[in-house]
Amino acid sequence: MELKRVVVTGLGTLNPLGNDVDTTWKNAVDGVSGASPITHFDASKFKTQFACEVKDFNTNDHFDRKKARQLDLYAQYAIVAAKQAIDDAALNSEGLDKNRVGVIVAAGIGGLHTFEEEAGYFALHGEEQGPKYNPFFIPKMIADIASGHISMEYGYHGPNYGVVSACATSTNAIIDAFNLIRLGKADAIVTGGAEAAIYPAGVGGFNSMHALSTRNDSPATASRPFSASRDGFVMGEGSAVLILEELEHAKARGAKIYAEIVGGGMSADAYHLTATHPEGLGAKLVMENALEDAEMKPEDIDYINVHGTSTPVGDKSEVKAIKEVFGDHAYKLNISSTKSMTGHLLGATGALEALFCIKAVQDDIVPPTINHADDDLDEEIDYNLNFTFNKAQKRTVNAALSNTFGFGGHNASLIVKKYAE
């Protein structure tokens, strides 16, 4: 069976760097930090009091009161980003066979704030009032519901579900969409991820694991991947959505093409509940799997958007894996962690970083890893590699690879390249 080619025809996002693709990309290239003190709740008693929040988002600008009451914030983010991407791709035009258009948009955590509110209310009032829950509690909370809302809004009857693999969630969603299209099961799929977990349960939970940076005196510089003084990740939120489409279908309707998806890899560390394998064995395997799937050699890759969360163990193990997979070529390609600017969007991070790879391929520019100082060096990291520290770098980017790794040892890698006939 000959596999079909899959291209990207639409993009949408709202995240800590901007509420549209152009603003986001400009700020990423300019090295802007999205971190600031938390506004979603009073974090003054928490070890971490800052995060990378979406700015200037008003629910009432996008949803009427009735609809808003049915949607957790994560789903609101997903729907808004999906609308941007669908409009960008003109994927709602006359003559479209909506039976062959799917939606795979998910979250790693889902409606955490909704769960927190409902469980908290029951804890305070349950004894006197009995079980009294909002009828929208379950459909607001579950991690697949954004896909359901998007399909209902646009009448897409193709494959529709959510993927949950912690921080690898949206990369796995994109890989699923890619595979369904190239196998001929759909013509186009709206895919990506969303997350909105910057609330007491999210921040408190990650604090208890010592996973978050506590650099409260300097939020904007707290996410510093590959620097010796890194002390944990900065939580982010938002959504990114891509329109993946079968090439001939896209050409027939005159769609613009951003890039081509050519490979996806998956693997498991099978090592630890939350920590990456210290030697990067799962990370090595997933990149090798992606390259094999794309029928590409290591030297074909020009840029890696690394998982790079700014955690002490994770950054080192990913560097080891890159050196193992790419050998001498590791010193010729560019590496950057855009989480230094956006923070870690958990289940949405893979989709946003795939978007950054697509824009890097389109514009031939690599966004930077910010917040690095020349005297802040980890002796276990090889700084002869080009981490693209502090300033974007112009170069030809024919192909880019994006890594995302999640709790439970879930690893996913995606490869995009310039579209050519």
Side-chain angles (χ1 to χ4, degrees):
M1 177 182 177
E2 185 178 352
L3 296 176
K4 298 178 183 295
R5 293 173 67 184
V6 181
V7 293
V8 180
T9 58
L11 302 173
T13 186
L14 58 159
N15 64 80
L17 296 187
N19 293 350
D20 59 72
V21 173
D22 289 345
T23 304
T24 295
W25 181 236
K26 181 181 185 305
N27 285 333
V29 171
D30 290 346
V32 174
S33 172
S36 57
I38 290 171
T39 65
H40 288 335
F41 69 96
D42 179 3
S44 59
K45 294 182 180 180
F46 286 72
K47 292 178 183 177
T48 296
Q49 299 165 11
F50 62 94
C52 288
E53 295 178 336
V54 171
K55 282 84 169 171
D56 303 318
F57 179 82
N58 186 335
T59 295
N60 297 329
D61 292 339
H62 304 280
F63 306 98
D64 61 34
R65 285 184 63 189
K66 181 180 178 181
K67 185 70 172 180
R69 284 172 36 224
Q70 302 175 24
L71 299 169
D72 186 87
L73 185 60
Y74 100 86
Q76 294 181 31
Y77 287 163
I79 293 166
V80 173
K83 183 180 188 306
Q84 291 179 17
I86 290 165
D87 289 348
D88 186 35
L91 197 67
N92 204 28
S93 56
E94 291 291 328
L96 187 71
D97 183 355
K98 294 186 177 183
N99 290 336
R100 292 187 56 80
V101 180
V103 185
I104 309 175
V105 177
I109 295 177
L112 183 64
H113 183 47
T114 294
F115 182 85
E116 185 177 65
E117 280 189 323
E118 294 292 325
Y121 184 87
F122 179 73
L124 289 172
H125 305 289
E127 187 172 339
E128 60 189 62
Q129 294 183 1
K132 186 178 180 182
Y133 286 91
N134 187 317
F136 293 116
F137 170 37
I138 299 300
K140 283 178 71 173
M141 180 192 71
I142 53 181
D144 69 309
I145 205 66
S147 285
H149 279 289
I150 294 163
S151 69
M152 287 184 281
E153 177 71 22
Y154 294 94
Y156 298 149
H157 294 281
N160 183 274
Y161 59 94
V163 175
V164 178
S165 51
C167 302
T169 290
S170 53
T171 302
N172 279 130
I174 295 168
I175 292 171
D176 274 13
F178 168 59
N179 284 329
L180 285 168
I181 294 169
R182 67 175 173 168
L183 288 170
K185 305 298 185 182
D187 294 331
I189 296 182
V190 181
T191 186
E195 207 78 87
I198 304 174
Y199 288 102
V203 175
F206 282 114
N207 267 158
S208 71
M209 297 168 60
H210 306 288
L212 296 180
S213 171
T214 56
R215 204 178 295 275
N216 294 312
D217 58 338
S218 183
T221 66
S223 183
R224 47 182 70 186
F226 311 112
S227 294
S229 62
R230 64 192 185 278
D231 69 330
F233 74 84
V234 177
M235 192 182 295
E237 64 172 1
S239 180
V241 173
L242 318 178
I243 306 301
L244 268 55
E245 193 165 352
E246 192 272 321
L247 173 60
E248 297 305 321
H249 185 269
K251 287 166 64 176
R253 66 184 195 89
K256 66 176 176 293
I257 295 174
Y258 285 99
E260 184 172 2
I261 307 291
V262 292
M266 294 172 278
S267 77
D269 279 2
Y271 169 72
H272 188 272
L273 191 64
T274 59
T276 57
H277 192 285
E279 298 302 316
L281 297 187
K284 175 178 179 288
L285 179 60
V286 76
M287 288 186 281
E288 290 173 339
N289 288 344
L291 288 165
E292 180 180 7
D293 189 46
E295 298 182 346
M296 296 175 75
K297 299 176 182 177
E299 53 267 31
D300 294 328
I301 301 298
D302 301 301
Y303 167 48
I304 302 175
N305 188 304
V306 291
H307 188 59
T309 57
S310 190
T311 57
V313 175
D315 289 5
K316 288 188 291 188
S317 63
E318 189 170 8
V319 169
K320 289 179 181 179
I322 289 169
K323 292 176 67 175
E324 284 280 328
V325 173
F326 290 90
D328 291 342
H329 184 65
Y331 298 92
K332 299 175 184 177
L333 51 76
N334 277 68
I335 295 165
S336 75
S337 171
T338 46
K339 289 185 183 73
S340 59
M341 298 176 281
T342 66
H344 188 359
L345 276 66
L346 308 177
T349 203
L352 181 58
E353 290 163 11
L355 187 153
F356 287 143
C357 285
I358 290 162
K359 294 299 290 183
V361 164
Q362 183 185 32
D363 292 353
D364 286 323
I365 188 166
V366 175
T369 305
I370 67 168
N371 299 326
H372 182 73
D374 291 340
D375 60 353
D376 190 11
L377 304 181
D378 183 334
E379 62 183 15
E380 295 186 59
I381 288 179
D382 184 352
Y383 292 102
N384 290 312
L385 297 170
N386 185 356
F387 291 101
T388 325
F389 283 133
N390 299 322
K391 187 177 180 180
Q393 184 175 330
K394 288 184 177 295
R395 65 163 292 168
T396 300
V397 184
N398 289 315
L401 181 149
S402 177
N403 282 336
T404 46
F405 312 143
F407 284 176
H410 311 302
N411 305 309
S413 293
L414 186 74
I415 299 177
V416 303
K417 73 174 187 179
K418 288 188 190 297
Y419 165 69
E421 289 285 354

